[in-house]
Amino acid sequence: MRGMNGVGESLRESAVFNFDGAMTMVIDDSPFSLELTAQALLGFGMKVRHACASAAEAIAILQNHPVDLILVDCEMPGMSGYEFVRWLRRSGLEPNAYAPVIMTAAHVRRSKVSDARDCGANFLITKPFSAGVLLERIVWVARDTRPFLEVGDYFGPDRRFRNEPWHGLERRAEERRRAAFEDERKAAIEL
């Protein structure tokens, strides 16, 4: 449900967010998009500490400087945003490998949404985006409590958003062990 100001209910739940000290990085090969994003963030009181025109430039900075939030364009020459996020998540640079990542894209097809999810990004928004949508996503990732998982070649936030019980055959070993333990515990209690 949207309020009169067009910003979603999720923002009303937060009394105050102080972004003043946030170490923010924006990566976009388009100077216009980079400046527009920086201005939107400044409107929330969030200064862009690192504005990068390429993933290579961002990597050099991330080697020595911690960041709290990264906004990265999906399609860039050289290393794409998807490749950058995969590198970031596997880099071993703490705390940067765990920094929230919001990807931006001008043309979003279902495959791009899947690519963003599968590379380890927290969220994908489409350009042009409104300042309200950007703020909603920043607040969302600030509140995101999903754990980071390493499964096969994926490393990033748990891709599952729903907390609904799964009624199919369980495939995760940890959950199978937990269920077997619970079954044994119940059997022991019934004796």
Side-chain angles (χ1 to χ4, degrees), residues 125-178:
I125 58 175
T126 58
K127 295 178 190 178
F129 48 81
S130 69
V133 166
L134 180 59
L135 181 58
E136 279 182 338
R137 297 306 167 230
I138 292 170
V139 169
W140 188 87
V141 297
R143 291 183 171 158
D144 189 9
T145 59
R146 292 178 298 158
F148 269 63
L149 302 175
E150 184 171 6
V151 180
D153 66 344
Y154 176 77
F155 182 72
D158 190 342
R159 294 179 280 199
R160 297 168 294 176
F161 283 92
R162 298 185 197 135
N163 287 329
E164 300 168 5
W166 172 253
H167 300 291
L169 180 63
E170 182 59 60
R171 297 180 300 183
R172 292 173 288 172
E174 177 183 327
E175 293 299 321
R176 288 194 313 255
R177 282 192 298 271
R178 184 176 300 148

Side-chain angles (χ1 to χ4, degrees), residues 71-82:
L71 286 94
V72 59
D73 184 44
C74 292
E75 302 293 333
M76 295 184 293
M79 180 184 267
S80 73
Y82 307 112

Side-chain angles (χ1 to χ4, degrees), residues 36-85:
L36 215 55
T37 303
Q39 289 302 313
L41 293 170
L42 191 57
F44 315 140
M46 185 180 287
K47 296 179 186 113
V48 174
R49 307 293 181 176
H50 308 286
C52 304
S54 70
E57 185 180 339
I59 288 170
I61 292 169
L62 289 168
Q63 302 283 343
N64 301 307
H65 301 282
V67 295
D68 299 312
L69 174 68
I70 300 171
L71 286 94
V72 59
D73 184 44
C74 292
E75 302 293 333
M76 295 184 293
M79 180 184 267
S80 73
Y82 307 112
E83 294 166 324
F84 168 78
V85 176

